[in-house]
Amino acid sequence: MADINLKEITLIVGVVTACYWNSLFCGFVFDDVSAILDNKDLHPSTPLKTLFQNDFWGTPMSEERSHKSYRPLTVLTFRLNYLLSELKPMSYHLLNMIFHAVVSVIFLKVCRLFLDNKSSVIASLLFAVHPIHTEAVTGVVGRAELLSSIFFLAAFLSYTRSKGPDNSIVWTPIALTVFLVAVATLCKEQGITVVGICCVYEVFIAQGYTLPLLCTTAGQFLRGKGSIPFSLLQTLVKLIVLMFSTLLLVVIRVQVIQSQLPVFTRFDNPAAVSPTPTRQLTFNYLLPVNAWLLLNPSELCCDWTMGTIPLIESLLDIRNLATFTFFCFLGTLGVFSLRYSGDSSKTVLMALCLMALPFIPASNLFFPVGFVVAERVLYVPSMGFCILVAHGWQKISTKSVFKKLSWICLSMVILTHSLKTFHRNWDWESEYTLFMSALKVNKNNAKLWNNVGHALENEKNFERALKYFLQATHVQPDDIGAHMNVGRTYKNLNRTKEAEESYMMAKSLMPQIIPGKKYAARIAPNHLNVYINLANLIRANESRLEEADQLYRQAISMRPDFKQAYISRGELLLKMNKPLKAKEAYLKALELDRNNADLWYNLAIVYIELKEPNEALKNFNRALELNPKHKLALFNSAILMQESGEVKLRPEARKRLLSYINEEPLDANGYFNLGMLAMDDKKDNEAEVWMKKAIKLQADFRSALFNLALLYSQTSKELKALPILEELLRYYPDHIKGLILKGDILMNQKKDILGAKKCFERILEMDPSNVQGKHNLCVVYFEEKDLLKAERCLLETLALAPHEEYIQRHLNIVRDKISSSSFIQPIFPTSKISRVEGQKIPTESVKESRGESRQTQIVKTSDNKSQSKSNKQLGKDRDEETPHKTTKDIKEIEKKRVAALKRLEEIERILNGE
């Protein structure tokens, strides 16, 4: 085996860079969304051990909905990308390009085992530029193929060194091979197939056996006419070690998936659930389809599921000729490579092994997989194809007649493949471009129509998205997911009647329960979300809450481990004012997933409803342990600490609010509550700064406007408060507290009795029973020296609040003045108000996330998309004033009222002395 030189490496790396540099400008598309954007295993806050407990998509392997794709080392490289650049796609694509260049260089070294130097370079170049690889290289999730291939080839190269002088066994390369096979398998499952290639290499290449010679030797031994050659015994020992190691890896792999195969539906792979002979005819036909993609990669498609390739239901189907031709050609090559002992037959044999053995796990021939055809799984098989093409070119080019023509054809193939690869990369720029390019190749796949709809939906182009979703239902009328997508889009367009009809249609397509058969194993787990989406839709109608609850319970009865059903039911039960049952639902969900920060947060909200703030705070803290950047937990736990009145909790509350505004710098609520916290700590200047920031972000923020005015009032800056109050009342003319404060300042500071009178009269127009406004109007009458009117006013006020002693005392004072027929300048102050404004645990504004909005303080899930990934977002908090007061507010009111009564007593003593 000749070593590769620097020029060859530079050539290959240069070609890879030229073909794939534009992939650096592509985004995260298709499966990248689930594997990268939605995968919490990439986050530094997730323990590393979790990577070895979850599948490729971040789902625990123990869950039935898991895809069972166990690739922790690949996820580890994603995590490395996340540490370097978080979710900026360029670094992910760059690393993929580097890995493809590494594979191409190692492949060159493998080619040198079977081809001459020139043919090896050609095979490597053809592999580097082949358009079939764009899905594996440009699609970020294709990294599993790239990493597995690196260790796959390294394991094979290591094994080729296991034969020592005099045919002895060198154990170090074998041990290294076993290790590299294990690593390759942890990158992607097909890595284990390199063991089969090593076995074929050992018998037919290293030992030089042919199939006839093996049969002859075996026959002589069985007839007792000869013994097993020593070289064959050594080969058997090596093969036994390899096979035992492989068996051990398989056992471990089976244990990891807990002896369960993933659940696929007929939409993913229609032939898998078809009867005989349709299943066998279709699966065998897929082999020539894959071979044709390698030979002529002109029409590439990112998704070959559903109706892309119609089923072959009869032996008379013309496509069976393609299957027959393929197997004849494959059989001819197989016979040639196994029967003869020349170098050419050995090259063909290894090429066939590289094409066939790594493809077996994805072939559907031994067990069903979740796709019909997938271009990325042809990454390793294409190596054998490239060796075969290079070997054929070598044979043709040695003949002088065809030498020039062979070079021209080869140059054209490499050039056209390079251009096709470069052009194909742009298809992966966005989900819209990717799926539109796929629709040009295949219009019979409902999943493609769905995914174009999803791409448009993400751009809020619901009208166009609806057209694609409806087309999906026409292409595949029994596609549950398509009807769910139509329903969600109708909901986004506020066409609730049509949305409900679509959800009901999807529900009617669900498989019926068969007694004695596990329901969960017969459908795609995400299809059960039709019950969740339908319930979320109808529960907007207060009269249909029980109906919605019934749907949640129906979903739970079908799948007792359906976590999302418990979560959604908990939200509904809170809405139905059943916090104890909501608590039960969330606790059940936590049994299924104790590492879900949103669940702990929602349980904290339940405890707030149950008036158990200490338990609520514990659950908020648990949520923050799991996700230190959980925005709602940061915000609401800080408010809970603030409302507890415990001074020792204020520093932590402030710290959490600062973290919150760091995460949500444009949310005025964070700044407002920092201002409230500063007011509690008597840090008036700091409070003023925070309140002004809140108002700058939200000019009509009523709570911030009012409390800033109140702050000025309490710090003897009443004149600065007036313009703030004017702004408040411009947005909210009926703000009673603002009117009271404005009237108080006008009367006591500006001496504008007429202006104050208008404020108090406005209050009584809105609320004739408002004691504060009524009492202060009485003060105005007294200031106007209309004692009789003041007396009548106080009598009316006393009737509204008969237990308020200060009103009775004021009435007595007025009567004394009337009886003495003398008037003394003002005898009692207007009633002031305390620093109270609104509920400080804010409402959560509705932010649509692919369909379904979240309730006030509960982290909810969105309407679930079928055949696409759902972006999970937290809604922003918006402070809104609520009519009820917190415990802290009541204490402040009482404190102010006591201060006012003391002032009244002082005035009364003065009057009595006169």
Side-chain angles (χ1 to χ4, degrees):
M1 179 177 66
D3 289 330
I4 56 178
N5 57 51
L6 184 60
K7 288 183 179 180
E8 292 169 336
I9 295 174
T10 303
L11 173 64
I12 292 170
V13 172
V15 168
V16 168
T17 304
C19 288
Y20 285 99
W21 68 265
N22 60 331
S23 70
L24 301 180
F25 305 100
C26 297
F28 293 122
V29 297
F30 204 18
D31 289 338
D32 296 347
V33 177
S34 288
I36 309 296
L37 299 180
D38 296 342
N39 193 347
K40 293 182 180 179
D41 288 348
L42 273 64
H43 301 170
S45 58
T46 302
L48 279 174
K49 66 177 183 180
T50 306
L51 272 65
F52 295 88
Q53 297 169 348
N54 295 348
D55 66 13
F56 187 54
W57 317 97
T59 305
M61 294 292 290
S62 58
E63 292 191 12
E64 187 270 334
R65 65 188 178 93
S66 169
H67 197 272
K68 309 301 180 186
S69 304
Y70 189 65
R71 305 163 190 172
L73 296 186
T74 304
V75 179
L76 193 62
T77 64
F78 292 152
R79 185 162 173 146
L80 176 63
N81 276 121
Y82 188 91
L83 287 174
L84 295 175
S85 64
E86 293 193 348
L87 294 176
K88 296 177 182 177
M90 181 173 286
S91 74
Y92 294 80
H93 289 294
L94 176 61
L95 197 54
N96 270 26
M97 188 173 73
I98 292 171
F99 284 149
H100 180 54
V102 171
V103 173
S104 300
V105 170
I106 299 176
F107 177 58
L108 173 61
K109 200 170 183 66
V110 171
C111 290
R112 287 285 163 83
L113 294 169
F114 316 110
L115 299 169
D116 60 28
N117 290 355
K118 190 182 296 181
S119 299
S120 298
V121 173
I122 288 170
S124 184
L125 284 175
L126 186 58
F127 176 81
V129 304
H130 203 296
I132 202 74
H133 298 155
T134 51
E135 183 171 339
V137 181
T138 310
V140 177
V141 294
R143 185 176 300 175
E145 315 289 339
L146 307 176
L147 281 174
S148 180
S149 298
I150 289 173
F151 296 107
F152 180 102
L153 296 176
F156 177 67
L157 287 174
S158 175
Y159 186 80
T160 59
R161 293 178 172 84
S162 65
K163 181 181 177 181
D166 302 323
N167 211 27
S168 60
I169 301 174
V170 183
W171 289 105
T172 301
I174 295 177
L176 180 59
T177 297
V178 172
F179 171 75
L180 291 172
V181 170
V183 175
T185 306
L186 289 174
C187 295
K188 192 177 181 184
E189 299 77 6
Q190 71 179 26
I192 201 169
T193 60
V194 71
V195 173
I197 294 173
C198 291
C199 292
V200 172
Y201 175 83
E202 176 64 31
V203 174
F204 295 100
I205 309 300
Q207 302 301 329
Y209 285 99
T210 60
L211 190 59
L213 182 58
L214 275 178
C215 292
T216 301
T217 303
Q220 289 177 349
F221 175 73
L222 291 173
R223 290 194 298 269
K225 294 183 179 180
S227 60
I228 299 177
F230 181 70
S231 61
L232 185 57
L233 283 174
Q234 286 187 310
T235 299
L236 287 174
V237 170
K238 293 168 75 173
L239 296 184
I240 289 170
V241 170
L242 278 180
M243 297 308 295
F244 178 79
S245 302
T246 304
L247 181 62
L248 183 62
L249 286 174
V250 170
V251 170
I252 294 172
R253 183 69 174 82
V254 171
Q255 290 297 316
V256 167
I257 67 172
Q258 301 185 0
S259 304
Q260 294 179 341
L261 288 175
V263 176
F264 300 117
T265 70
R266 59 190 175 88
F267 301 112
D268 298 317
N269 192 346
V273 294
S274 299
T276 302
T278 300
R279 181 171 64 254
Q280 290 78 11
L281 290 174
T282 304
F283 282 158
N284 280 287
Y285 172 67
L286 295 180
L287 299 177
V289 169
N290 281 279
W292 180 250
L293 286 174
L294 289 173
L295 189 63
N296 178 30
S298 59
E299 293 187 339
L300 300 177
C301 181
C302 64
D303 194 307
W304 294 80
T305 56
M306 303 189 86
T308 303
I309 299 177
L311 298 175
I312 299 179
E313 299 177 316
S314 169
L315 290 171
L316 299 178
D317 194 308
I318 192 69
R319 289 174 293 173
N320 289 320
L321 287 176
T323 306
F324 179 76
T325 304
F326 172 77
F327 277 107
C328 286
F329 180 72
L330 194 67
T332 302
L333 289 178
V335 169
F336 169 76
S337 62
L338 291 172
R339 186 171 182 177
Y340 301 104
S341 58
D343 290 340
S344 181
S345 61
K346 290 179 181 179
T347 301
V348 172
L349 177 61
M350 292 310 300
L352 290 176
C353 286
L354 276 170
M355 288 177 68
L357 295 181
F359 185 72
I360 285 175
S363 67
N364 282 293
L365 296 178
F366 297 99
F367 49 83
V369 294
F371 51 83
V372 178
V373 173
E375 293 166 11
R376 61 182 177 274
V377 303
L378 294 174
Y379 189 76
V380 175
S382 69
M383 296 178 184
F385 172 79
C386 293
I387 290 175
L388 210 56
V389 171
H391 181 59
W393 175 86
Q394 180 188 358
K395 292 293 184 182
I396 294 173
S397 64
T398 54
K399 299 178 181 180
S400 58
V401 179
F402 299 109
K403 186 173 183 179
K404 187 176 292 186
L405 181 63
S406 67
W407 274 105
I408 293 173
C409 291
L410 178 66
S411 301
M412 288 296 295
V413 167
I414 292 177
L415 178 62
T416 54
H417 277 38
S418 300
L419 293 174
K420 173 67 176 177
T421 297
F422 184 83
H423 182 265
R424 174 66 173 157
N425 289 334
W426 289 123
D427 290 341
W428 293 80
E429 184 178 12
S430 68
E431 292 205 324
Y432 180 77
T433 56
L434 178 64
F435 298 127
M436 285 301 292
S437 71
L439 280 177
K440 293 176 184 177
V441 175
N442 173 30
K443 290 181 170 60
N444 296 321
N445 186 341
K447 191 173 178 180
L448 294 175
W449 293 99
N450 277 319
N451 282 322
V452 173
H454 291 321
L456 292 168
E457 188 181 25
N458 290 338
E459 298 172 359
K460 307 300 181 185
N461 194 340
F462 298 122
E463 291 288 353
R464 284 189 65 200
L466 181 61
K467 293 178 183 178
Y468 283 91
F469 289 142
L470 287 171
Q471 182 62 30
T473 63
H474 294 150
V475 171
Q476 188 87 34
D478 59 350
D479 182 6
I480 297 171
H483 290 285
M484 289 170 62
N485 293 333
V486 171
R488 186 183 60 257
T489 309
Y490 275 133
K491 180 179 179 295
N492 288 333
L493 293 170
N494 296 318
R495 296 164 64 177
T496 55
K497 182 180 178 182
E498 292 95 330
E500 184 172 349
E501 289 173 356
S502 297
Y503 284 142
M504 291 300 293
M505 174 60 76
K507 183 171 174 284
S508 70
L509 293 171
M510 296 286 285
Q512 299 301 310
I513 297 176
I514 299 175
K517 188 165 184 179
K518 187 179 178 184
Y519 191 86
R522 297 172 53 246
I523 59 171
N526 67 319
H527 283 174
L528 274 175
N529 286 320
V530 67
Y531 294 94
I532 305 300
N533 293 352
L534 181 57
N536 289 347
L537 177 71
I538 66 176
R539 77 184 198 185
N541 186 338
E542 295 290 337
S543 65
R544 301 182 70 182
L545 297 183
E546 289 293 343
E547 186 181 346
D549 189 36
Q550 177 62 32
L551 286 167
Y552 291 137
R553 284 184 279 134
Q554 188 175 353
I556 291 170
S557 68
M558 291 177 177
R559 284 186 53 140
D561 64 340
F562 192 12
K563 176 181 66 180
Q564 193 52 58
Y566 292 106
I567 296 172
S568 297
R569 186 166 185 249
E571 299 162 6
L572 177 66
L573 290 168
L574 268 182
K575 186 176 182 178
M576 297 170 70
N577 198 26
K578 296 179 180 179
L580 287 175
K581 288 189 175 181
K583 175 183 171 183
E584 291 176 9
Y586 285 128
L587 288 174
K588 182 64 179 177
L590 281 169
E591 289 178 14
L592 300 171
D593 184 5
R594 298 193 65 81
N595 294 320
N596 188 319
D598 290 342
L599 278 177
W600 290 103
Y601 169 82
N602 287 356
L603 186 59
I605 298 301
V606 173
Y607 278 117
I608 288 177
E609 294 292 324
L610 292 170
K611 312 299 182 187
E612 297 182 39
N614 291 334
E615 287 298 318
L617 189 56
K618 288 179 184 177
N619 285 281
F620 279 138
N621 291 340
R622 177 63 176 149
L624 290 170
E625 286 175 14
L626 293 168
N627 181 7
K629 294 184 178 181
H630 194 292
K631 291 178 277 191
L632 291 180
L634 284 168
F635 186 89
N636 288 317
S637 62
I639 303 307
L640 197 60
M641 290 176 178
Q642 185 179 359
E643 295 219 341
S644 70
E646 295 186 34
V647 177
K648 63 181 180 181
L649 293 178
R650 287 181 187 169
E652 179 62 23
R654 186 176 187 275
K655 179 181 175 183
R656 293 188 183 186
L657 285 172
L658 289 171
S659 297
Y660 176 77
I661 62 173
N662 186 54
E663 294 295 316
E664 286 286 344
L666 300 180
D667 185 9
N669 289 281
Y671 301 98
F672 165 70
N673 282 282
L674 278 166
M676 297 294 280
L677 198 61
M679 288 178 74
D680 288 340
D681 289 334
K682 309 302 180 186
K683 298 178 180 178
D684 299 331
N685 292 335
E686 183 182 333
E688 180 182 357
V689 170
W690 291 124
M691 291 296 183
K692 285 183 175 179
K693 285 186 177 181
I695 295 167
K696 184 178 180 181
L697 287 170
Q698 185 182 334
D700 62 344
F701 196 158
R702 61 186 293 170
S703 299
L705 288 166
F706 175 78
N707 281 289
L708 179 58
L710 189 59
L711 176 65
Y712 285 143
S713 175
Q714 291 174 345
T715 54
S716 303
K717 299 176 183 177
E718 289 87 350
L719 297 183
K720 291 182 71 174
L722 272 179
I724 303 298
L725 289 168
E726 292 290 350
E727 191 72 7
L728 171 67
L729 294 170
R730 183 170 68 86
Y731 288 112
Y732 308 101
D734 299 339
H735 196 287
I736 290 177
K737 295 173 186 177
L739 287 167
I740 290 174
L741 184 56
K742 181 182 176 183
D744 178 72
I745 294 173
L746 288 174
M747 187 170 207
N748 293 308
Q749 302 299 322
K750 298 282 286 185
K751 307 303 180 184
D752 183 358
I753 296 174
L754 183 59
K757 184 178 182 180
K758 288 180 180 178
C759 291
F760 301 139
E761 286 176 341
R762 174 64 181 149
I763 292 168
L764 294 177
E765 286 176 12
M766 294 182 290
D767 182 11
S769 62
N770 186 284
V771 176
Q772 275 185 307
K774 188 78 171 177
H775 173 267
N776 289 358
L777 186 59
C778 299
V779 175
V780 170
Y781 294 149
F782 187 85
E783 292 287 346
E784 292 177 338
K785 302 181 181 180
D786 192 341
L787 297 182
L788 294 177
K789 197 169 185 178
E791 180 187 22
R792 286 196 303 272
C793 179
L794 286 169
L795 282 170
E796 292 171 1
T797 308
L798 189 60
L800 294 173
H803 302 295
E804 291 289 354
E805 296 180 5
Y806 75 94
I807 298 175
Q808 181 63 58
R809 285 198 296 272
H810 290 179
L811 179 60
N812 292 337
I813 293 171
V814 170
R815 284 174 173 172
D816 288 342
K817 293 296 120 185
I818 292 172
S819 62
S820 65
S821 68
S822 63
F823 177 73
I824 304 294
Q825 192 62 14
I827 59 171
F828 48 84
T830 56
S831 299
K832 293 192 177 183
I833 63 171
S834 60
R835 181 200 130 214
V836 177
E837 178 71 5
Q839 177 75 3
K840 290 193 289 186
I841 293 184
T843 61
E844 184 182 351
S845 69
V846 172
K847 185 170 183 177
E848 288 290 318
S849 177
R850 300 194 177 193
E852 191 70 11
S853 61
R854 298 180 174 82
Q855 238 177 13
T856 302
Q857 294 169 324
I858 294 291
V859 175
K860 292 175 62 177
T861 57
S862 61
D863 269 2
N864 298 280
K865 284 192 174 183
S866 169
Q867 302 159 345
S868 182
K869 277 54 69 179
S870 168
N871 285 334
K872 194 174 181 185
Q873 298 173 322
L874 290 171
K876 291 184 181 179
D877 291 308
R878 311 284 295 195
D879 183 79
E880 291 183 4
E881 187 178 35
T882 58
H884 60 282
K885 298 179 177 61
T886 64
T887 303
K888 185 175 179 63
D889 294 336
I890 294 170
K891 289 179 179 178
E892 285 288 342
I893 291 172
E894 184 61 25
K895 181 179 176 182
K896 291 290 183 180
R897 195 171 71 83
V898 170
L901 288 175
K902 287 182 178 179
R903 186 177 173 190
L904 291 173
E905 289 172 359
E906 292 175 2
I907 293 171
E908 289 168 9
R909 283 198 297 271
I910 294 171
L911 290 172
N912 291 332
E914 292 178 348

